[in-house]
């Protein structure tokens, strides 16, 4: 099913891959509603290959009324268009793409990958043919270069032999550029492949004409070398983007491709995962992956979620528990009910996060896009002026009495072609995307998903970090910190094993394996009651298990355990910090960043967590509105805060911050508002992300500067006739290789990993404070360091 560029009158704008009007499809069937309530459509685009294609497609779609977002990912060829409900007919999207000259079909990951693999193989074949032609032409051109005594007839014969190799090899190898240019011209537009194709055609034509006239100079070797180097750059770009595609595929590989559906009569049938409908009952055998997100309805087992959450131990799963796509059933067969389609699962969403991170473009990329958009008119004008100058210049000099040779159309054309070749903006087009793709892939390996390209730029600009406590600095899971002897702990745990309360789970975790007490009864909201060794026992709230005891002064989360006539005992819990929370905070301070913590929790809990993490500035009892107001106040003071939070109450603050991050377990609303998503329980990935963002900014600046200097210096040399088309091809391709190599330098050893430890003495940690805050943003339970800020 494809948009038919040959038959734009197709009613729906969509048809079969061959453009068959007799097989149109209903494009409205592929429209979905996203979390913001906008209508979205995802298509796979064919023929897009450069920054100008992105600008053309996105610009054309954003011009449609009601369209709020249009993003094309060159790596996966996925186009996502979003518009306000009812503001746009989906057929208008199809018609616009047809008008712009691009083919498309509803996005299917399997088909997309097949097309991408096919494109890579095709580029490799073209590269091999160009290399074969370039090497074999050397057999005929080398004698011409060094054969001073070669006669004119022999030289012409060598030129014809060169043509016999160069023409078929060159025309085959030039297909990626010729096809792209032809599609653009048919749509009434020009892309960066148009001048490249023009240079190829003119050089071939000029060389054949020169050979037919018995001329001394041809450029069969130069044009095949040009195509060889151009294809090296394009294939490297393809492979570079393959890194991000591989990351997305690795995530999607966590999702099963088949499932076993349980029918109404209990019969089991095997189906493809894409056929799963919401509400289907699915049987999951031991060792199988969950094909979609759902809820367990029958059976108990353990789930291995290591690839999703980083948790090394299998998690218990019972009826009513949620199960995510990609989780492996470890212990016993279970039955689950699908609550999302396979393409809408948590695994698919992670893959989309990677793609969004790769395709997002910030200030540097927008700058490169604008420069690339100016390329076609500027380079055509420069080539035309070069030709005119070499044709008219000698006449002017002769009129002035200067003794110079007359105009030579062949020399003028050769110099104009050299300008077309050497000014090809391949290096400029790769300057920022190459850095962005490498940085995104590196952070993915470090457990950080990047949601947008400009997020890397904004992260490099931050000057302070603000943390939420529960679920961000802490694990969001209570941990036993004090209690009586081991025997009492085991006894209390036997009652706790029948409860799913978080404190009961923490008590059981501290006690270790054991048997649950038989005959235990749970009183919702109160506790558990049972007979232990023939004597009554209770575990739960103070008023339930120990009503005669006084309230504890520390206000810590607690469970009381009492049995028979023995004195009740108290278990206290705390929300444990992430293992590397203190190291991450120290690393941020060592880099000169101010660190603050905002939490809606109790003052005692927040103070304890802040002290353990090494944070001097903290606020307790903060409401969601106050968190957002704090971000706005900081930005009003000229600060650029990074907000790190996980809860629904953090979503507004995340959106209001200069940059934002959320842990991988955060609620969907927080992840949607965040620029970065941290996988696993480690926070050091945040430090790695900041370091990578700063290096990415430097690499992008270096690439843009080099690309600009290269074009400024190379174009006048070509126009002056100092560079032949062969040398121009080598220089242009060398610039692309340098830009790519500079981006790949970011793949060096990571300074910080999720398993690293901070090896800095406390004396080297920077003690920093915060700018003054307004009364709206600073609740009563506030401690702010007054130490002077050291900068970032």
């Amino acid at each position: 099913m494809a948009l038919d560029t040959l038959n734009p009158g197709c009613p729906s704008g969509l048809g079969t891959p061959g453009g068959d009007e007799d097989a149109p499809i209903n494009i409205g069937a592929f429209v979905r509603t996203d979390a913001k309530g906008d209508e979205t459509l995802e298509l796979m685009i064919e023929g897009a290959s450069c920054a100008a294609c992105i600008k053309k497609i996105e610009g054309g779609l954003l011009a449609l009324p009601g369209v709020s977002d249009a993003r094309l990912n060159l790596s996966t060829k996925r186009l996502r268009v979003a518009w306000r409900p009812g503001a746009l007919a989906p057929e208008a999207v199809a018609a616009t793409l047809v008008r712009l000259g691009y083919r498309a079909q509803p996005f299917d990951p399997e088909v997309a990958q097949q097309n991408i693999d096919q494109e890579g193989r095709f580029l490799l074949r073209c590269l091999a043919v160009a290399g074969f032609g370039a090497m074999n032409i050397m057999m005929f051109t080398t004698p011409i270069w060094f054969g001073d005594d070669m006669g004119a007839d022999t030289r012409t014969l060598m030129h014809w032999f060169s043509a016999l190799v160069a023409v078929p090899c060159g025309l085959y190898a030039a297909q990626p550029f010729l096809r792209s240019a032809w599609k653009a011209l048919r749509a009434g537009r020009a892309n960066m492949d148009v001048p490249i194709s023009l240079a190829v055609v003119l050089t071939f034509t000029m060389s054949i004409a020169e050979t037919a006239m018995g001329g001394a100079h041809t450029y069969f070797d130069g044009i095949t070398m040009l195509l060889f180097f151009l294809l090296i750059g394009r294939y490297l770009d393809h492979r570079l983007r393959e890194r991000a595609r591989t990351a997305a595929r690795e995530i999607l590989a966590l999702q099963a491709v088949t499932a076993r559906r349980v029918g109404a009569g209990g019969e089991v049938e095997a189906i493809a995962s894409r056929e799963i409908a919401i509400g289907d009952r699915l049987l999951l055998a031991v060792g199988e992956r969950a094909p979609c997100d759902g809820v367990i309805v029958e059976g108990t087992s353990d789930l291995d979620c290591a690839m999703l959450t980083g948790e090394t131990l299998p998690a218990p799963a019972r009826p009513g528990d949620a199960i995510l796509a990609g989780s492996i059933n470890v212990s016993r067969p279970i039955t689950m009910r699908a609550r999302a389609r396979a393409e809408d699962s948590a695994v698919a969403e992670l893959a989309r996060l990677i793609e969004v991170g790769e395709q997002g473009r910030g200030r540097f990329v927008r700058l490169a896009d604008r420069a690339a958009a100016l390329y076609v008119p500027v380079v055509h004008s420069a080539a035309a002026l070069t030709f005119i100058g070499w044709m008219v210049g000698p006449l002017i000099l002769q009129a002035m009495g200067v003794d110079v040779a007359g105009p030579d159309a062949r020399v003028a054309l050769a110099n104009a072609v050299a300008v077309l070749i050497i000014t090809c903006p391949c290096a400029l087009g790769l300057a920022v995307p190459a850095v962005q793709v490498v940085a995104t892939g590196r952070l993915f390996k470090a457990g950080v998903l990047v949601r947008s390209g400009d997020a890397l730029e904004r992260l490099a600009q931050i000057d302070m970090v603000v943390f939420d406590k529960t679920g961000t600095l802490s694990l969001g899971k209570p941990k036993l910190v004090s209690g009586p002897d081991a025997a009492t702990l085991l006894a209390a745990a036997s009652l706790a094993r029948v409860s799913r309360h978080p404190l009961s789970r923490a008590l059981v975790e501290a006690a270790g394996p054991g048997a649950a007490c038989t005959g235990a009864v749970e009183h919702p909201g109160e506790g558990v009651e049972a007979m232990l060794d023939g004597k009554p026992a209770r575990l739960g709230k103070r008023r339930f298990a120990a009503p005669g005891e006084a309230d504890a002064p520390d206000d810590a989360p607690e469970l009381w355990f009492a049995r028979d006539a023995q004195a009740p005992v108290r278990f206290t819990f705390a929300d444990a910090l992430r293992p590397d929370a203190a190291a991450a905070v120290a690393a941020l301070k060592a880099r000169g960043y101010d660190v603050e913590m905002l939490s809606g929790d109790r003052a005692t809990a927040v103070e304890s967590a802040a002290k353990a993490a090494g944070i001097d500035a903290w606020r307790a009892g903060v409401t969601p509105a106050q968190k957002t107001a704090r971000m706005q106040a900081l930005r009003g003071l000229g600060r650029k805060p990074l907000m790190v939070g996980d809860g629904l109450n953090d979503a507004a603050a995340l959106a209001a911050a200069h940059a934002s991050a959320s842990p991988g377990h955060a609620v969907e609303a927080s992840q949607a508002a965040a620029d970065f998503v941290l996988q696993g329980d480690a926070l050091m990935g945040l430090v790695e992300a900041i370091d990578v963002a700063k290096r990415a900014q430097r690499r992008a600046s270096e690439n843009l500067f080099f690309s600009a200097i290269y074009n400024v210096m190379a174009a006048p040399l070509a126009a002056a006739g100092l560079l032949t088309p062969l040398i121009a091809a080598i220089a242009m391709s060398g610039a692309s290789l340098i830009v790519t190599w500079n981006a790949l330098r970011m793949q060096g050893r990571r300074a910080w990993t999720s398993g690293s430890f901070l090896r800095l003495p406390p004396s080297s940690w920077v003690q920093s404070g915060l700018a003054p805050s307004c009364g709206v943003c600073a609740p009563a339970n506030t401690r702010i360091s007054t130490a002077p800020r050291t900068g970032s």
Side-chain angles (χ1 to χ4, degrees):
M1 297 173 292
L3 286 173
D4 190 359
T5 57
L6 297 177
N7 298 289
C10 180
S12 67
L14 290 171
T16 61
D20 186 1
E21 287 187 31
D22 296 331
I25 65 169
N26 179 17
I27 188 174
F30 297 92
V31 176
R32 298 178 185 171
T33 302
D34 63 11
K36 299 179 181 179
D38 289 342
E39 293 181 342
T40 64
L41 177 64
E42 291 187 350
L43 299 170
M44 183 171 66
I45 302 298
E46 301 176 16
S49 59
C50 63
C53 295
I54 295 178
K55 180 180 178 63
K56 182 196 306 182
I57 293 173
E58 293 183 356
L61 293 174
L62 288 172
L64 296 176
V67 174
S68 58
D69 186 43
R71 284 294 176 91
L72 173 62
N73 186 332
L74 271 184
S75 295
T76 59
K77 309 298 183 183
R78 173 185 284 186
L79 170 67
R80 182 184 183 276
V81 187
W83 62 88
R84 296 191 306 272
L88 181 71
E91 288 76 14
V93 175
T96 300
L97 291 171
V98 169
R99 178 173 54 82
L100 295 175
Y102 293 92
R103 293 172 58 86
Q105 56 184 298
F107 186 81
D108 184 328
E110 295 181 5
V111 175
Q113 188 55 46
Q114 291 174 1
N115 290 348
I116 290 169
D117 292 342
Q118 183 179 0
E119 177 187 358
R121 291 191 295 269
F122 176 63
L123 286 174
L124 193 58
R125 287 197 303 270
C126 291
L127 177 61
V129 170
F132 170 83
M135 289 186 294
N136 282 275
I137 290 172
M138 291 300 176
M139 294 189 302
F140 307 114
T141 57
T142 301
I144 298 176
W145 294 344
F146 301 102
D148 296 334
D149 57 347
M150 180 178 291
D153 292 340
T154 304
R155 184 182 62 229
T156 301
L157 181 63
M158 290 297 180
H159 284 165
W160 280 120
F161 283 149
S162 298
L164 289 175
V165 176
V167 172
C169 289
L171 292 179
Y172 183 89
Q175 286 184 85
F177 312 103
L178 296 175
R179 290 178 180 179
S180 175
W182 178 243
K183 290 179 181 178
L185 292 175
R186 285 179 55 191
R189 297 174 180 269
N191 60 11
M192 290 190 292
D193 288 332
V194 171
I196 293 175
S197 300
L198 183 61
V200 170
V201 172
L202 287 177
T203 303
F204 271 131
T205 303
M206 179 177 62
S207 298
I208 292 174
E210 186 79 2
T211 301
M213 293 185 297
H217 301 289
T218 62
Y219 298 100
F220 293 117
D221 50 357
I223 198 61
T224 50
M225 289 293 290
L226 166 67
L227 291 171
F228 181 67
F229 286 120
L230 281 174
L231 287 166
I232 287 177
R234 186 149 295 190
Y235 185 71
L236 283 176
D237 178 58
H238 177 83
R239 294 297 302 171
L240 198 62
R241 295 182 183 278
E242 179 69 15
R243 296 178 184 274
R245 290 194 293 266
T246 300
R249 286 201 304 271
E250 288 175 354
I251 285 290
L252 290 173
L254 300 177
Q255 196 163 359
V257 296
T258 61
R260 292 188 294 168
R261 182 165 57 194
V262 181
E267 68 279 4
V268 179
E269 62 172 334
I271 61 172
S273 295
R274 60 177 177 268
E275 298 176 14
I276 296 174
I278 297 176
D280 281 352
R281 291 167 60 91
L282 307 172
L283 180 63
L284 203 62
V286 175
E288 290 184 342
R289 291 186 183 273
C292 63
D293 297 344
V295 60
I296 299 174
V297 294
E298 290 181 14
T300 59
S301 184
D302 296 297
L303 299 178
D304 181 0
C305 305
M307 295 299 292
L308 292 172
T309 65
E311 181 63 44
T312 57
L313 297 177
R318 302 177 177 83
D321 288 350
I323 179 172
L324 296 179
S327 302
I328 301 175
N329 184 24
V330 176
S331 304
R332 302 177 185 85
I334 56 176
T335 302
M336 61 176 287
R337 177 179 290 109
R339 63 181 184 185
R341 296 177 299 178
E343 59 266 31
D344 297 327
S345 67
V347 171
E349 180 59 27
L350 287 177
R352 279 191 285 269
L353 284 177
I354 296 174
E355 292 179 359
V356 168
E358 180 202 345
Q359 70 180 336
R361 294 188 303 284
R363 176 174 57 90
F364 283 126
V365 183
R366 291 191 297 268
L367 178 62
D369 285 352
R370 287 196 294 269
L374 294 173
Y375 164 72
V376 174
V378 170
V379 75
H380 282 177
S381 300
L385 290 174
T386 299
F387 182 82
I388 294 172
W390 279 89
M391 293 298 294
V392 177
L395 297 178
I396 296 176
L397 291 175
Q398 289 177 349
M400 296 172 59
V402 180
D403 185 16
V404 295
D408 188 332
R410 291 176 294 182
V411 173
L413 185 59
N415 292 335
V417 169
V419 171
L420 286 174
I421 293 172
I422 206 164
T423 55
C424 176
C426 294
L428 182 63
L430 284 173
V432 180
V435 172
Q436 185 172 303
V437 170
V438 173
T440 301
R442 174 169 172 171
L443 289 180
F444 169 73
K445 293 179 181 179
V448 181
L449 302 181
V450 185
R451 287 182 53 86
S452 64
D454 67 328
L456 287 169
E457 295 177 22
R458 287 185 281 109
L459 185 64
Q461 299 166 356
I462 66 165
D463 56 16
M464 68 177 299
V465 182
V466 180
F467 286 100
D468 173 49
K469 182 183 79 70
T470 305
T472 303
L473 275 175
S474 70
L475 294 173
K477 183 173 65 175
K479 181 179 180 181
L480 181 65
V481 294
S482 68
D485 57 89
T488 305
L489 173 61
L490 291 175
S494 66
L495 273 70
R497 286 189 175 91
V498 304
S499 172
R500 296 181 59 196
H501 190 278
L503 296 184
S504 296
R505 297 293 90 200
L507 191 66
V508 171
E509 182 179 354
C517 180
T518 58
V521 177
E522 182 173 11
H523 301 273
E526 296 295 334
V528 180
E529 184 177 20
M531 298 296 292
L532 281 179
D533 300 328
K535 298 177 181 180
R538 285 190 170 190
L539 175 71
K541 293 183 177 180
R542 181 189 58 79
R543 67 190 181 197
F544 174 74
E549 297 294 323
D551 286 336
D554 54 14
D555 197 28
E558 64 180 13
L559 284 178
W560 286 83
F561 176 64
R563 56 178 173 179
D564 198 23
Q566 297 181 17
V569 294
R570 179 174 180 250
F571 298 94
T572 59
F573 303 84
D575 186 5
L577 289 181
R578 295 179 182 271
D580 63 346
V585 170
L588 292 170
K589 286 185 175 182
R591 284 159 172 75
Y593 296 110
D594 297 335
V595 182
E596 179 181 353
M597 181 167 64
L598 303 179
S599 176
D601 208 346
R602 307 178 316 276
T604 53
V606 176
E607 182 179 16
S608 176
K611 183 177 180 181
I615 299 176
D616 300 321
W618 56 268
R619 289 175 168 80
V622 182
T623 65
Q626 289 172 330
K627 287 185 179 182
T628 304
R630 177 62 177 162
M631 294 300 104
Q632 294 171 344
L634 287 171
R635 299 194 70 176
L637 292 170
R639 305 299 299 272
K640 297 179 179 180
L642 166 67
M643 177 68 192
V644 189
D646 76 314
L648 187 62
N649 60 339
D650 297 321
L654 291 168
H658 187 71
S660 54
S662 285
H665 67 268
V667 298
E668 183 178 351
S670 292
Q671 290 195 22
D675 299 311
F676 301 87
V677 178
L678 310 175
Q679 298 299 295
D681 292 336
L683 285 175
M684 288 303 295
L686 185 66
V687 181
E688 170 76 359
I690 294 173
D691 290 345
V692 169
K694 286 185 172 293
R695 285 195 291 275
Q697 190 175 44
R698 289 195 296 270
R699 295 289 178 268
S701 299
E702 292 166 359
N703 282 352
L704 288 174
F705 177 77
F706 171 78
S707 300
I709 292 298
Y710 160 78
N711 280 285
V712 168
M713 296 179 61
L717 293 176
L722 300 177
L723 301 177
T724 66
L726 174 61
I727 298 176
I730 296 174
M732 181 277 302
S733 300
S736 298
L737 292 175
I738 290 173
V739 166
T740 303
W741 169 79
N742 193 44
L744 291 173
R745 289 171 56 202
M746 293 185 58
Q747 290 184 324
R749 181 179 60 86
R750 292 198 300 268
W752 306 99
T753 65
S754 59
S756 66
F757 294 92
L758 184 68
R759 292 185 173 90
L760 294 176
S763 59
S764 70
W765 297 351
V766 178
Q767 302 298 322
S768 55
L770 293 171
S773 59
C774 64
V776 175
C777 306
N781 295 320
T782 302
R783 291 187 181 180
I784 296 291
S785 170
T786 57
R789 180 174 176 271
T790 59
S792 56

